[in-house]
Amino acid sequence: MKISIVTLFPDMFAGPFAMSMLAKAQEKGLAEIELIDLRDFGIGPRRQVDDIPYGGGDGMVLRPEPLFAAVESVRTSESTVILLSPQGDTLRQELVQDFSQLPHLILLCGHYEGFDERIRTLADHQISIGDYVLTGGELPAMVLTDAVVRLIPGVLGGERSALDESFSDGVTLEHPHYTRPEEFRGMSVPDVLLSGHHQKIDDWRKQKSRRKNS
Ligand code: SAM
């Protein structure tokens, strides 16, 4: 899978994308992440990407020409364009699963007051990571990329770990986990997990998984 991220701040991605699963996925060739600097598509000698809003008001708005040019520089018939926006559909694991099956995602990070409304016509999906406002679309793009890449077959060590996780069926929260030591400050590992009895362990884990909001 390829993920192209259109951003004014490509340097923000260096740390998170160089570590853990995202680094491994790229090293193994399972995910290719491409950062596209929106400034490269800016207008005029100052490479302008934003302008004042028609009708007045605070803040600057991203102009359509640079965003259209950036998307058109990488979009193919296999691409799906996702615009990050607080007004979008809230990201959920079902959507993440759908996105992880796609060959090429193009993520559009907004900034300032947001996008000129005409930019939304580029998008196949508009996605919010929650009902709060961040400064830019970079952190939402990192969240979406992390959630999607870890579902690509071969990225996680055991394929089952993604199947058993919270929200894998939309509503269930994963069972509790324990590791060594058996006893810590008066808190013990449940006996069933030490029993070696796989059926009983499975039953206990099912029983301890919770429905969201229950
Ligand atoms: N003026 C906009 C509003 O009130 O809805 C907020 C713009 S925000 C400061 C700038 C950019 O950050 C947005 O265009 C979007 O790309 C990104 N962003 C902020 N919060 C987000 C969220 N919860 N989910 C996804 N993207 C978000």
Side-chain angles (χ1 to χ4, degrees):
M1 162 185 261
K2 181 174 173 184
I3 303 181
S4 305
I5 303 176
V6 179
T7 170
L8 276 171
F9 299 97
D11 292 350
M12 279 181 73
F13 294 82
F17 283 7
M19 277 166 226
S20 190
M21 288 296 168
L22 286 171
K24 279 193 199 138
Q26 293 173 87
E27 280 159 19
K28 287 186 191 170
L30 298 169
E32 178 190 349
I33 300 175
E34 169 185 44
L35 296 168
I36 298 169
D37 190 340
L38 183 59
R39 193 67 65 185
D40 291 343
F41 299 87
I43 300 160
R46 291 184 55 243
R47 298 196 174 275
Q48 187 185 351
V49 294
D50 59 339
D51 216 322
I52 54 174
Y54 280 121
D58 288 337
M60 300 294 273
V61 176
L62 288 173
R63 288 177 62 132
E65 307 95 309
L67 259 301
F68 272 73
V71 169
E72 284 161 4
S73 73
V74 285
R75 188 170 54 187
T76 71
S77 57
E78 299 213 300
S79 307
T80 301
V81 179
I82 301 176
L83 181 145
L84 283 320
S85 165
Q87 291 116 34
D89 297 324
T90 306
L91 188 63
R92 303 171 63 83
Q93 192 68 7
E94 289 152 286
L95 271 173
V96 171
Q97 277 158 359
D98 292 347
F99 293 154
S100 73
Q101 315 283 322
L102 297 172
H104 183 207
L105 302 179
I106 302 175
L107 310 186
L108 306 185
C109 305
H111 217 81
Y112 314 120
E113 278 307 308
F115 301 97
D116 178 289
E117 196 60 19
R118 292 164 288 189
I119 293 167
R120 295 185 196 273
T121 63
L122 283 170
D124 299 298
H125 299 271
Q126 297 187 41
I127 295 294
S128 162
I129 62 159
D131 290 347
Y132 43 84
V133 177
L134 296 160
T135 307
E138 285 71 21
L139 290 170
M142 289 178 211
V143 167
L144 195 152
T145 300
D146 183 288
V148 164
V149 167
R150 63 199 302 287
L151 293 190
I152 297 172
V155 171
L156 292 182
E159 293 311 314
R160 285 213 57 76
S161 26
L163 296 175
D164 291 343
E165 276 181 329
S166 299
F167 307 118
S168 50
D169 65 356
V171 287
T172 304
L173 302 179
E174 198 187 37
H175 56 76
H177 295 283
Y178 289 89
T179 184
R180 292 189 178 116
E182 276 183 40
E183 173 104 16
F184 176 69
R185 297 192 180 181
M187 297 175 278
S188 305
V189 175
D191 288 340
V192 63
L193 297 181
L194 308 172
S195 69
H197 195 301
H198 297 301
Q199 186 58 53
K200 282 188 182 163
I201 292 171
D202 274 359
D203 291 346
W204 181 87
R205 286 180 169 163
K206 281 197 189 93
Q207 188 203 332
K208 292 291 177 186
S209 296
R210 287 184 298 121
R211 310 278 291 176
K212 195 179 173 208
N213 299 327
S214 69

